[in-house]
Amino acid sequence: SVKGVATDCFSLLHRGCTDIICCIFFIVAIVGYVAVGILAWTHGDPRKVIYPTDSLGQYCGQGKLEKKPLLFYFNMMKCASPMVLLEFQCPTPQVCVEKCPDRTLTLVTAIAKPEDWKYYKSYCREDPGNKPMTEILQKKLCPAYLISSKPCKAFRCFPSLGKKGEVITVGDQDKFNDGEKIRDAKDLVAGMKNATVVMEGRQVAMKIFEDYTKSWYWILICLLIAVVLSLIFIVLLRYLAGIMVWVMILMVIAVVACGIAYSSIKYVNLKDTAGSNITLQQLGFQPDFSVYLHIRQTWLAFIIILAILEVIIIIILIFLRNRIRIAVELMKEASRAVGYVMSSLFYPIFTFFLLTIVIAYWGITAVFLSTSSEPVYKVFNETDCPHGRQTCEPENFTISAMKTDCPRSECLFAFYGGETPYHKYLIFFQFYNVFLFFWCANFVTALGQMTLAGAFASYYWAPNKPNDMPAYPLCASLGRSLRYHTGSLAFGSLILAIVQIIRVLLEYIDHKLKGAENKFAKFLLCCLKCCFWCLEKFIKFINRNAYIMVAIYGKNFCRSARDAFFLLMRNVIRVVVLDKVTDFILFLGKLLIVGLVGIFAFFFFSGQTDAFKDAAPSLHYYWVPILTVLVGSYLIAHGFFSVYAMCVDTLFLCFCEDLERNDGSAARPYHMTTELRYILMKDADAAQTPTSRDETMQLTPPDKTMEN
């Protein structure tokens, strides 16, 4: 009987642990992941990516140098060397200072005046005492000159350059004395440019970090709005599925149309604005994205993209207008299932919590691994030196043979590295961290899919709802998944993680081959990337349906994947014309929520609306919180709508299984409303060839009184 089938499917007495070997392997991998994290946290120091370091590798603004947060270069012109861009280090001594020099002096003039000399010594590597000037310069204890400077946001002291007409000045003078001769102020520009290139990425990162510190609570408010909107849509779908589907479709079309209209208005208004007609190619990349909004071509691109999106949506809706009615009926059935398992609406919060832990652990471990190296010192020399770029020890460098052979060389901090066994296997630990991140993230996602599938399958197979359902279907399904099927979850997520890590390696190889001219290699790499992208999508599809079969019957992963695949292939018409139409409708719902929240975030953070100008925080890049809100809103909407998507997929697979078990008898009203059952069978039958249609059973319209 049908009730017996349901009992057999969900009885714990008939279940056993599946894919035990993979379960053990997963547990061992997790233990190893924890060990890698402990090693990284023991050796790592995140300060290396935040604070500048002097020539001895000490952090400015930290420890005994807490009151000296700024880095000062003895000779900025040494940074003009091309080696700076290779070594990421200027071949000149660097010291941490309390403040940047605000006057221009030379060592010769400073020694002659006690007040100037006292001020000058604050920029020396060590107190020169009464040493003669020649010894000070030879040992590079103090800079040969000071130039009026100002701190930049990367905590470095850069010369205060200005302009008088077309002449570059420093400290209001177009020339300065470097202790040896009189130089032009423009000689400092090249060194500043190279030093700026080295620090540019860090400056942008710091600005983005500052923007997050100023706008994080507004970002949370926007994400909370996305949560509320998602809940409202889900609740309305529960009671007004048919109306809400059409409302979502029309609102998506309206939101995209509003975007086209707004972009058109901005495009027209910029017509007579100076500088707005330059092309994006001429402008190049700008870290401040607001610059692009003053270019007409940007708004023209928005108009074209949104118009294409609008046309695609309308064309798809025209061709799917008959299928949408069927999808609405399936959404109604899913709404009934969600009504019996209301706790499923909040399960995505649990998934988000687990994913947050996985992402945070991976991110923190990656930072500690990348900063767990030791300071490496190298020989820097202004002229040719046989020991150039060789490693050295700063403590005894002055008495070493390297110093004897190259009297003008310096042993300076170069980068972080190491020669210990830990440092030799550091790249392996980084790879392991990335691989386990994919595996754990896929495992958490798979756990959510199997848990929801088990809960909704218990609804479908229950003849008398809710009497024959478990008291807490979601908790019961979660318990079954963890107790019996951790190995199956680990197996499926492992296969997906392997494909994903291969895709990451292909992207890395593609990045390395960007400058290559081998067309065949580029073509082959492009083909591989495309194939593995398709393979990842296929595996996700197979895994999702395999987890549903595991949740129902408790079989191992491979057998469940095989059964699910052939079951779907036997019902491929229904899969194409119904299941994917429902996915498209749910995608439009996600798009609507992202669009509504994104529009609000744009007008709020950009300050283009008078109502929000006083409340909006002052930001370097207002696109930072906007992009964060867009991505976060999509993830939130995806989390809530994924409950409906999983419910639809589970009910659909159960229906296909039920149809084969019960010979497609339309007289059975146990598991699905008779009207939907009739529509599904009739739709699939209509899509068959005349010959196959004659072989199917004769369907009669459902009797409304037979609905459960």
Side-chain angles (χ1 to χ4, degrees), residues 270-338:
L270 288 172
K271 182 178 181 181
D272 299 323
T273 304
S276 63
N277 290 317
I278 66 172
T279 64
L280 295 175
Q281 186 176 4
Q282 291 172 336
L283 183 62
F285 175 76
Q286 300 293 330
D288 186 0
F289 282 11
S290 62
V291 175
Y292 296 105
L293 300 182
H294 298 285
I295 306 301
R296 295 187 75 206
Q297 198 175 78
T298 302
W299 294 104
L300 180 62
F302 286 158
I303 293 171
I304 295 173
I305 293 171
L306 292 175
I308 293 174
L309 180 63
E310 185 88 326
V311 171
I312 290 174
I313 292 174
I314 292 174
I315 291 175
I316 291 175
L317 291 174
I318 291 173
F319 281 97
L320 298 180
R321 61 188 184 278
N322 294 327
R323 307 298 178 191
I324 291 176
R325 184 178 67 88
I326 306 173
V328 168
E329 292 299 325
L330 189 54
M331 293 289 289
K332 288 181 180 178
E333 185 68 25
S335 297
R336 295 186 185 95
V338 172

Side-chain angles (χ1 to χ4, degrees), residues 93-260:
Q94 301 154 41
V95 295
C96 299
V97 296
E98 186 175 353
K99 63 178 182 178
C100 297
D102 55 5
R103 63 181 84 170
T104 301
L105 293 171
T106 64
L107 181 62
V108 177
T109 58
I111 289 180
K113 298 179 180 180
E115 290 185 5
D116 289 344
W117 181 231
K118 182 179 179 182
Y119 174 81
Y120 201 95
K121 286 193 293 185
S122 62
Y123 296 95
C124 297
R125 285 201 286 181
E126 60 182 66
D127 189 354
N130 296 321
K131 292 183 177 68
M133 184 178 62
T134 53
E135 185 179 351
I136 294 174
L137 290 175
Q138 184 180 6
K139 294 183 177 180
K140 295 187 178 179
L141 301 178
C142 297
Y145 62 94
L146 295 180
I147 293 180
S148 179
S149 307
K150 58 183 179 181
C152 68
K153 292 193 175 181
F155 304 104
R156 267 86 174 165
C157 292
F158 282 170
S160 305
L161 297 182
K163 266 193 174 185
K164 285 184 178 179
E166 296 298 323
V167 180
I168 297 176
T169 62
V170 56
D172 294 328
Q173 301 294 324
D174 60 350
K175 297 183 182 297
F176 70 96
N177 190 334
D178 69 350
E180 296 179 359
K181 61 180 180 179
I182 304 298
R183 290 182 177 271
D184 293 330
K186 64 181 181 181
D187 295 341
L188 294 167
V189 174
M192 287 184 63
K193 282 184 177 179
N194 277 0
T196 302
V197 169
V198 175
M199 305 307 162
E200 200 171 53
R202 184 174 294 178
Q203 290 180 23
V204 173
M206 292 300 295
K207 287 181 180 179
I208 292 175
F209 180 75
E210 289 177 12
D211 287 344
Y212 276 124
T213 59
K214 293 179 181 178
S215 61
W216 65 269
Y217 48 92
W218 294 110
I219 293 175
L220 290 180
I221 291 174
C222 290
L223 296 181
L224 183 61
I225 293 174
V227 171
V228 173
L229 284 177
S230 299
L231 283 174
I232 291 174
F233 272 86
I234 291 295
V235 172
L236 290 176
L237 275 175
R238 167 68 182 90
Y239 297 102
L240 303 169
I243 297 174
M244 283 304 301
V245 168
W246 290 108
V247 168
M248 282 193 302
I249 292 173
L250 295 176
M251 287 188 69
V252 168
I253 295 174
V255 168
V256 177
C258 289
I260 295 173

Side-chain angles (χ1 to χ4, degrees), residues 393-613:
E393 294 293 335
E395 292 81 8
N396 56 7
F397 181 74
T398 54
I399 58 175
S400 65
M402 294 181 180
K403 185 68 173 178
T404 305
D405 296 339
C406 307
R408 303 192 66 179
S409 63
E410 284 291 321
C411 182
L412 302 177
F413 167 76
F415 55 85
Y416 288 98
E419 299 295 331
T420 65
Y422 169 78
H423 295 103
K424 289 181 179 179
Y425 291 102
L426 197 57
I427 186 66
F428 168 77
F429 293 147
Q430 288 281 20
F431 177 83
Y432 189 77
N433 183 38
V434 174
F435 179 74
L436 262 291
F437 164 71
F438 283 127
W439 195 359
C440 293
N442 291 328
F443 180 87
V444 171
T445 304
L447 177 62
Q449 292 175 346
M450 186 178 290
T451 300
L452 291 172
F456 293 128
S458 66
Y459 158 83
Y460 182 91
W461 292 107
N464 299 311
K465 305 172 180 60
N467 296 332
D468 292 332
M469 293 175 61
Y472 302 99
L474 194 68
C475 294
S477 179
L478 178 62
R480 287 196 303 270
S481 301
L482 290 175
R483 181 179 178 183
Y484 296 103
H485 307 305
T486 299
S488 298
L489 294 170
F491 192 9
S493 54
L494 173 63
I495 297 173
L496 188 56
I498 292 173
V499 175
Q500 289 173 334
I501 201 69
I502 292 175
R503 289 193 63 201
V504 170
L505 292 175
L506 289 175
E507 290 293 340
Y508 175 77
I509 295 172
D510 184 37
H511 177 73
K512 290 294 184 182
L513 292 178
K514 274 188 177 179
E517 297 182 358
N518 191 329
K519 301 296 182 183
F520 177 76
K522 290 183 177 180
F523 172 76
L524 181 62
L525 190 61
C526 184
C527 292
L528 287 174
K529 288 168 63 177
C530 180
C531 291
F532 276 96
W533 180 85
C534 295
L535 180 61
E536 181 182 353
K537 296 299 180 184
F538 178 73
I539 290 176
K540 284 183 177 180
F541 174 76
I542 292 297
N543 283 6
R544 185 182 180 91
N545 291 284
Y547 296 144
I548 296 174
M549 298 299 281
V550 172
I552 297 174
Y553 295 110
K555 300 175 183 177
N556 62 47
F557 177 82
C558 291
R559 187 174 177 183
S560 298
R562 184 199 63 185
D563 293 344
F565 177 76
F566 286 112
L567 179 62
L568 292 172
M569 289 301 100
R570 291 193 295 270
N571 296 271
V572 66
I573 299 297
R574 295 187 178 97
V575 174
V576 174
V577 303
L578 176 64
D579 196 39
K580 297 310 169 188
V581 174
T582 310
D583 289 343
F584 174 70
I585 293 174
L586 293 175
F587 172 74
L588 290 183
K590 301 173 193 175
L591 201 63
L592 177 60
I593 291 174
V594 173
L596 292 175
V597 178
I599 290 172
F600 171 78
F602 173 76
F603 284 108
F604 179 81
F605 290 110
S606 65
Q608 297 192 17
T609 305
D610 295 335
F612 300 134
K613 277 188 177 180

